[in-house]
Amino acid sequence: VSDNNKNYVLWAINEIKNREGNMKNIHELDFLKENIDDLKKQGVYRKLPILEGANDAEIILNGKKVINLSSNNYLGLANHPRLKKAAIAAVEKYGVGAGAVRTIVGNMDIHEELEKKLAEFKREEAVMVYQSGFNCNAGTIQAITEKGDLIISDSLNHASIIDGVRLSRADRAVFEHSNMEDLERVLKEKRDNFKNCLIITDGVFSMDGDLAKLPEIVELAEKYNCMTYVDDAHGSGVLGESGRGTVDHFGLHGRVDFSIGTLSKAIGVIGGYVAGKAVSKDWLSHRGRPILFSTALPPAAVGAIIESVSMLMESTEYTDRLWDNAKFFKEKLGKLGFDTGKSETPITPVIIGEEARAMEFSKKLFENGVYVSAIVFPTVPKGTGRVRCMVTAGHTKEQLERAVDTFEKVGKEMGLIK
Ligand code: PMP
């Protein structure tokens, strides 16, 4: 064997060994283990908390009974007897699964009934329902924009909007949160270079509870010939007449092109939707990828949602109680000297500042029987760490009083209030 051949054989053996080594590491997912070690080093690693039973105002979480101030179950409907009964009735009639995507054979009459009901509720021509609010943003934005278009998005828009925008082939620009001068600057600079332009905003911003300046946004959109897209996940079932949402709150019916809602928060079940013109629904049934490629909502969910929306249309009992509870809780925390930020909705942030202090506050509240999650950088700006309280219609005044007492006790122990 020549030296050359010998060297080649040695090189080949070595190469095979290396590749085997790499293969082994790949399948042991060492790269993920390293990522997780990084999270641990940053102090942001966590296990998913485990809830035993329904997502009510008082819950057993990780084996401990606590007042629940962290859910999006705004109206307390997620475990309501009327919704459960409607879900069971739908299961009896339609089974547990839709069996296919809607464009093939998964579009049951109950899905159509739900969309009619939602359109009536939202006072819009038509509604297209998706499997979740996340899915709705991911599927809609890319379907209504294309190369040569421009999307302008508020800097604090929800992650599902950010992902939805990423899936679009349009150009994108971001304006400073709720800063109308900045929005107009972007419009002046860029609008003329593009065919269609879509302005996207959350209706209610989930970390601070502030409202979008929707009337101004709509006016700018009209002035610069742009479409408007409002994600009202935290406004639907909360704001406006009987919870019709932010568009209704501002009296802007017919002037917002795409009004997005979720069925998983105030409505209490699961799903998302676009409310707007009939032509949008028609187009989304051809190009909304989650409609085309993901199975339709299960009948139980659809039955429960129809019941939930019917309840909102029948009476304002739940929305009234939500606002009453939120006002009660906010006032009490304010009197104690906590900074509850600039929220205009039931979302009640209690701003602490330093990240570690916010985390510690949340941990101590939990030990004392109140569950309220800490929200820290990068979800909110550095130095504005907070706990975010979600008061619901399902809380009793007694539970809220107990929660306030716990805030006072822990707040004083930690020197957050005097
Ligand atoms: N948009 C916003 C503003 C949200 O807060 C959320 C939920 N966190 C979603 C969309 C997603 O909704 P869903 O939970 O129904 O997927």
Side-chain angles (χ1 to χ4, degrees):
V1 187
S2 74
D3 270 358
N4 262 355
N5 279 349
K6 214 162 103 190
N7 284 342
Y8 174 74
V9 170
L10 285 175
W11 171 84
I13 289 171
N14 223 1
E15 189 68 0
I16 289 165
K17 274 190 188 157
N18 279 344
R19 285 188 193 173
E20 274 176 352
N22 285 340
M23 295 279 280
K24 198 168 153 225
N25 284 343
I26 281 272
H27 292 299
E28 284 181 3
L29 306 182
D30 285 344
F31 66 104
L32 293 184
K33 288 178 194 155
E34 282 162 21
N35 290 351
I36 285 174
D37 284 343
D38 270 354
L39 294 183
K40 287 182 178 163
K41 269 184 219 142
Q42 292 164 37
V44 291
Y45 176 81
R46 47 131 185 78
K47 291 250 188 262
L48 299 179
I50 298 171
L51 174 58
E52 292 168 41
N55 200 326
D56 286 327
E58 213 153 354
I59 52 173
I60 312 244
L61 194 71
N62 289 341
K64 186 173 168 63
K65 191 170 180 209
V66 286
I67 295 171
N68 177 12
L69 281 178
S70 282
S71 90
N72 293 317
N73 182 19
Y74 282 109
L75 301 177
L77 298 179
N79 188 31
H80 195 286
R82 275 182 65 177
L83 272 69
K84 291 203 273 192
K85 199 164 158 239
I88 291 163
V91 167
E92 294 294 351
K93 181 164 178 194
Y94 297 92
V96 292
V101 300
R102 290 184 71 188
T103 47
I104 301 189
V105 68
N107 186 38
M108 295 165 159
D109 54 10
I110 198 173
H111 291 107
E112 295 280 325
E113 184 188 336
L114 168 62
E115 287 175 337
K116 278 208 188 85
K117 183 112 209 160
L118 278 170
E120 189 194 337
F121 177 61
K122 296 292 286 187
R123 299 193 169 123
E124 298 286 351
E125 266 178 39
V127 161
M128 174 58 95
V129 167
Y130 286 77
Q131 301 84 346
S132 75
F134 198 106
N135 231 352
C136 178
N137 283 327
T140 304
I141 299 168
Q142 61 165 314
I144 57 173
T145 54
E146 58 186 11
K147 208 168 168 32
D149 292 344
L150 174 67
I151 300 172
I152 311 180
S153 186
D154 185 287
S155 63
L156 292 190
N157 277 344
H158 188 254
S160 55
I161 295 179
I162 297 170
D163 289 2
V165 172
R166 283 186 185 140
L167 289 170
S168 164
R169 302 183 68 213
D171 273 51
R172 58 208 64 163
V174 172
F175 66 97
E176 249 177 59
H177 172 55
S178 275
N179 183 336
M180 294 303 103
E181 275 145 36
D182 200 44
L183 172 57
E184 186 151 24
R185 176 193 60 79
V186 175
L187 285 164
K188 272 189 189 143
E189 242 171 58
K190 299 188 181 248
R191 173 65 188 99
D192 285 349
N193 305 329
F194 295 91
K195 186 171 162 251
N196 291 334
C197 174
L198 178 70
I199 304 177
I200 308 187
T201 182
D202 275 2
V204 175
F205 289 87
S206 56
M207 294 305 145
D208 289 293
D210 54 323
L211 295 183
K213 294 190 178 128
L214 210 49
E216 288 97 320
I217 292 176
V218 165
E219 262 175 38
L220 283 172
E222 287 168 355
K223 181 172 166 195
Y224 288 88
N225 191 27
C226 302
M227 302 177 287
T228 40
Y229 183 110
V230 178
D231 178 350
D232 210 19
H234 289 272
S236 46
V238 176
L239 283 152
E241 188 195 336
S242 300
R244 283 178 167 80
T246 312
V247 171
D248 187 83
H249 170 81
F250 286 116
L252 292 168
H253 288 290
R255 293 175 70 193
V256 170
D257 300 286
F258 303 94
S259 182
I260 279 62
T262 175
L263 301 162
S264 62
K265 300 186 196 295
I267 301 299
V269 193
I270 188 88
Y273 61 88
V274 186
K277 299 268 174 352
V279 67
S280 303
K281 177 183 173 139
D282 207 9
W283 177 244
L284 292 172
S285 75
H286 292 87
R287 287 292 183 277
R289 291 170 74 82
I291 308 295
L292 269 58
F293 299 112
S294 183
T295 298
L297 276 175
V302 178
I305 299 162
I306 292 172
E307 188 67 12
S308 181
V309 177
S310 301
M311 285 167 69
L312 288 190
M313 287 168 83
E314 272 166 30
S315 126
T316 58
E317 177 192 344
Y318 291 92
T319 45
D320 288 347
R321 206 184 307 150
L322 167 67
W323 284 92
D324 182 50
N325 277 348
K327 190 164 163 266
F328 175 84
F329 186 70
K330 256 187 214 170
E331 272 174 16
K332 297 235 168 206
L333 286 185
K335 271 192 196 136
L336 286 175
F338 284 107
D339 173 6
T340 57
K342 53 181 179 175
S343 172
E344 299 162 82
T345 61
I347 295 171
T348 308
V350 175
I351 298 162
I352 305 300
E354 202 190 307
E355 280 55 42
R357 298 267 282 168
M359 308 266 283
E360 192 193 345
F361 190 39
S362 164
K363 187 166 160 267
K364 292 224 159 102
L365 286 169
F366 183 77
E367 287 162 7
N368 283 272
V370 176
Y371 180 57
V372 49
S373 50
I375 316 254
V376 296
F377 179 81
T379 309
V380 291
K382 256 209 170 96
T384 69
R386 66 198 63 189
V387 295
R388 188 185 56 161
C389 309
M390 305 293 274
V391 178
T392 73
H395 288 103
T396 62
K397 288 279 170 14
E398 184 276 324
Q399 286 166 334
L400 294 176
E401 294 263 20
R402 248 192 301 143
V404 169
D405 290 347
T406 310
F407 267 77
E408 182 176 12
K409 174 176 177 274
V410 177
K412 280 183 176 161
E413 276 169 16
M414 285 181 60
L416 300 171
I417 52 167
K418 289 188 195 111

